[in-house]
Amino acid sequence: YEKLNRWQSAAAEFRAALELDPDRAEAQVGLGICLLHLNKPAEAMRSFEIALERNPKDQAAMTGRHAAEMLLTLGVPAVLLKG
């Protein structure tokens, strides 16, 4: 999905996975990453927070939450965060 820039499709897949297993932290992180790329940082923040509730030491969720905080605070489009 990333190489094809199909973040909407990937988000739908992660949502479907979460319907089957709502406790799956990895799927929450994946959804959060997709939402960041779709410039939906508030929704992404919630996904990362849920992931951290499930697994408080999840580094990807911590990093994603930080990125979402930056987007919300600074209003920077996610595309500009790609380095």
Side-chain angles (χ1 to χ4, degrees):
Y1 291 104
E2 182 177 2
K3 288 182 181 181
L4 298 174
N5 201 28
R6 296 189 56 188
W7 299 109
Q8 193 70 36
S9 297
E13 294 290 331
F14 283 117
R15 285 188 175 106
L18 288 165
E19 284 184 25
L20 297 174
D21 185 0
D23 291 326
R24 197 153 175 219
E26 301 88 359
Q28 285 290 353
V29 171
L31 177 58
I33 291 168
C34 292
L35 293 169
L36 284 178
H37 283 278
L38 293 168
N39 291 316
K40 297 180 179 183
E43 291 178 50
M45 175 73 81
R46 184 66 191 134
S47 288
F48 295 126
E49 288 174 349
I50 293 169
L52 288 167
E53 289 171 8
R54 307 290 188 268
N55 181 3
K57 296 181 180 181
D58 188 314
Q59 291 294 317
M62 287 183 216
T63 301
R65 182 178 65 184
H66 181 68
E69 286 173 352
M70 287 177 47
L71 290 170
L72 288 168
T73 302
L74 302 174
V76 179
V79 70
L80 297 179
L81 293 179
K82 291 182 180 180

